[in-house]
Amino acid sequence: MASILDEYEDSLYRSASVQQSRASVGIPHSGYVNARLEKETPIFNKQRIDFSPPEKINSLVVSSNQLCMSLGKDTLLRIDLGKPDEPNQVELGRKDEAKVYKMFLDHTGSHLLIALNTSECLYLNRSVQKVRALSRWKGHLIESVGWNKFLGSETNTGPILVGTAQGQIYEAEISVSEGSLFSTNPDQYFRQVYTLEEESGPAPVCCLEIERGIEGKFFIIATTRKRLFQFVGKVPEGTEQQGFSSIFAMHADHLPSFREFPASFGFSEIAFYTQKLRSSPRSFAWMMGNGVLYGTLDYSRPDSILSDERVWVYPSDIDVTVNKPISIVLTQFHFLLLLPDRVKAVCTLNGQVVFQDLFLEKFGLLTRMIKDPTVQQIWIHTEKVVFRYHVQRESRDVWKMYMNMNKFDLAKEYCKDRPECLDIVLAKEAEHCFQNKRYLDSAKCYALTQNYFEEIALKFIEAKQEEALMEFLIKKLSNLKPSEKTQTTLLTTWLTELYLNWLGILEGDPSQRNLYLDTREKFRTFLSSPRNKDCLFNNRASIYELLASHGDTEHMVYFAVIMQDYERVVAHHCQHDEYDEALNVLSRHRDEKLFYKFSPVLIQHIPKKVVDAWISMGSRLDARNLIPALVNYSQSASTQQINEAIRYMEFCVYQLEETQQAIHNYLLSLYALCRPDSLLSYLEQAGTNPNRIHYDLKYALRLCAEHGHHHACVHIYKVMELYEEAVDLALQVDVDLAKSCADLPEDDEELRKKLWLKIARHVVQEEKDVKKAMACLSSCALLKIEDVLPFFPDFVTIDHFKEAICNSLEDYNKHIEELKREMEEATQSAKRIREDIQEMRNKYGSVEPQEKCAACDFPLLNRPFYLFLCGHMFHYDCLLQAVFPNLPAYKQAKLEDLQKKLAGTNQPSKSHHRPKDADTSSLGKGQQSREQIKADIDDIVAAECVYCGELMIRSIDKPFIDPQKYEEEMQSWL
């Protein structure tokens, strides 16, 4: 197997050259074909709004799908983008030359502030039609508004911040009274809280933003032309409605933290990106003179939420002295710059321009760009045209940028749904790790790519990184599909070879002991992995060869256990004389077939433990299959060792109650060989009923005869009912035993007498003991002195038989007297019977005229009838009809025959010329025959009352309806 793997590694070098030649002609290394079937839509998809304003557009704001547009001098157009066909037009009602300077719409789209160039400010609520002037705001040119996103509602703005062109920051609150348009002034208060300054003095407040952090901390961001300020402070819980004065008061004596840049083009603008609705912004972009300051917002920082800041300079084609950016909008990965004639999208990851959209001169100069944070739509307008950008799949190419920045985790996150892109990222990451000698990480990444397997494997082989190669193969194996069986087999076998090589190297180095143990654990995990189980099982022969070629018997046993190849495990232990271990494996896995196979070997060395294991298996083992092992063992073992075989056979017979003849025969042979005392008790315990005896009687008889166990032979003869043979053999052992055998045939007196005669003959002729012979006469009542006398020799004197003869004569005399008494009793009994018969002949009963038949309930005296002693009375034909079906077949036949004969005697004679004497003689004979026939019929029909006799008792279990006529009867009821 190792040579096969060597050949495969050589083939890797040959295939690598083929792959290089493929690459030289343009064959991609990835398994994916990067082809686009249709043109991909751009990230920023522009749409011109079908709207022709009647007057020029001065300003446009949008939030929460609410769009507000200032047209001309005195018109305000409000459009709910959910209902674009229902615009709402509001007149400002100004008669002077005031113009709209800026408009500000809160995050809910409910509160609109209109700043005029005359330092005045107007307010319009979404639910009303009339614009109201904010009198307290008069005299201030509004540059920015910081809306309160935490306390604001549709009727109340909550505390908000207002920035002016003179650098002041005011805190204000606007509220709409319910029940009328304005019952009081909408501006609740308007007070100054701070003044922003630059090195030259107060500077316009370009932007304001209010954000809330953790633990009640608020962050306020304010920008001027060159500076970005941060005000940080806590507002006590429950006092948020009181405003932010306390936060600004903390910086009354010192400047807050700020960022400052030297260049300026007269204004600045900051944009924020909020990932989800009603959540805090996650990033910001500040457009100022030196470029765009981009960073993230970290609300957990104590003094500043700005984090990961970097400045992206403007693209080279933007000359800020001539062509200044007008507005900025921030998306998840881009910021868009609005120039007078175009829009540029710059990636926040690398500062590269990824999108540019040039507008035609006929549309006019671009005026303003704003984003609706709730629907992530971007709006741009000139004085006469409105455009809208949809942001579609903005993150589609982000993975490339992260990949080029070596931020592979982020790159994979943004292409996890695009496998062809993920493959490129993984390949780049793998190559990056390989070049930085992070071989294990490189292997893990390479395993997930579609790059050529041979090329990657050769990279690690040439770098002599076997551990990384193993990691690559393991990961590759885990990614294979179940249908890829050939690849799975190759990788599994190769990994096994690599593991064995690596373990062999580490095992010989004591300093690498910990690494060896760790690698061994990994190898065992690999072998026992459920994913590899089927492959390893199907190729277990090759794995065994590999393990054997490396001499790794430890893992060979481990692998065999995993494959449940316990036969190999047990065989290995037996070959190395590890019999206890082999038995432990058998006992642990309880495989009957393995017990049958290895028991002949194990019982030769550890008989007691083997028998204990057999007993613990109980009825799961078939003792018949273990008999060959016991036979081989008992033939070569001592008596003490044979006792183990007897112990298991006794367990089978007495505990498991085995009835197999082979088991009982083998136990019988062991008893006959080593335990004669147990033999007879076993036979007696088995009983004398041949049908309930489980051993072979003939085999047992032959076995006992061979070993001279005569008592056992006698018992077997008795079971076989060979009483003569039993008595003959018992007489050779013990006369008393013979006597017990002679009494066994209780139903056959002739045989019993014959057996006792055998005993008597033996006593007289063999033992010549007259007294014992006389004792036999007393033991058996069937024997008489005259039966025994022929056995005695002629010279024996009568004195020895005097008592027996007298007893015999007395018995005869008693018998004669008994017969006389019985004869007298019989005579008396016959006399009484004759008297009873005579009395019965004279017995009669009286029948009243109104008596009725018990069967048909008609008057009894109308027809011949029967009267029984019990009192029941029946017509002759009714009784015959009731009795006949219950008679046995032979009596029914006899009754029919008698009826025919009776009918024949009723027919008149056909001869009218017979002599008178002959007729008289014939009539006498016929009359006599008729009376006899009637008597015979009475004996059958009137033998007993049909209601009181045995006939009624026997009919209890008979069904009311004849089963043969059941169907017919059932149909008659339907």
Side-chain angles (χ1 to χ4, degrees), residues 353-416:
V353 177
V354 298
F355 173 78
Q356 178 172 281
D357 194 4
L358 186 64
F359 288 77
L360 300 177
E361 293 182 3
K362 66 177 182 178
F363 298 137
L365 296 178
L366 302 178
T367 306
R368 178 75 172 159
M369 177 171 63
I370 191 167
K371 184 180 75 169
D372 185 347
T374 59
V375 294
Q376 302 296 329
Q377 291 179 350
I378 300 170
W379 296 79
I380 298 175
H381 73 92
T382 65
E383 290 183 346
K384 52 185 177 181
V385 182
V386 178
F387 297 94
R388 179 170 59 188
Y389 281 96
H390 293 275
V391 183
Q392 297 179 333
R393 295 179 57 234
E394 184 182 3
S395 61
R396 68 182 70 171
D397 294 325
V398 170
W399 65 272
K400 291 181 183 177
M401 302 169 192
Y402 279 129
M403 180 183 70
N404 295 330
M405 297 164 63
N406 293 334
K407 295 183 178 181
F408 300 108
D409 291 337
L410 290 172
K412 288 183 283 188
E413 180 68 23
Y414 285 100
C415 62
K416 58 184 178 182

Side-chain angles (χ1 to χ4, degrees), residues 508-535:
D509 189 352
S511 62
Q512 300 289 334
R513 179 64 180 172
N514 291 334
L515 181 58
Y516 167 76
L517 294 176
D518 184 58
T519 306
R520 185 183 68 175
E521 186 63 28
K522 289 182 180 179
F523 181 42
R524 292 186 173 185
T525 303
F526 167 75
L527 292 176
S528 59
S529 171
R531 181 180 178 85
N532 305 329
K533 183 177 180 180
D534 291 341
C535 178

Side-chain angles (χ1 to χ4, degrees), residues 120 170 389 417 540 727 948:
E120 294 178 84
Y170 288 87
Y389 281 96
D417 297 329
R540 59 188 182 279
V727 170
C948 302

Side-chain angles (χ1 to χ4, degrees), residues 43-44 285 292 294 310-318 328-339 343-356 369 394 401:
I43 295 175
F44 303 99
V292 176
Y294 173 79
R310 68 181 71 179
V311 177
W312 295 116
V313 298
Y314 295 116
S316 58
D317 60 343
I318 298 179
I328 186 170
V329 164
L330 181 62
T331 62
Q332 186 176 6
F333 296 106
H334 303 85
F335 59 82
L336 282 73
L337 296 174
L338 181 68
L339 301 171
V343 173
K344 286 182 177 288
V346 179
C347 180
T348 58
L349 300 177
N350 55 15
Q352 300 295 319
V353 177
V354 298
F355 173 78
Q356 178 172 281
M369 177 171 63
E394 184 182 3
M401 302 169 192

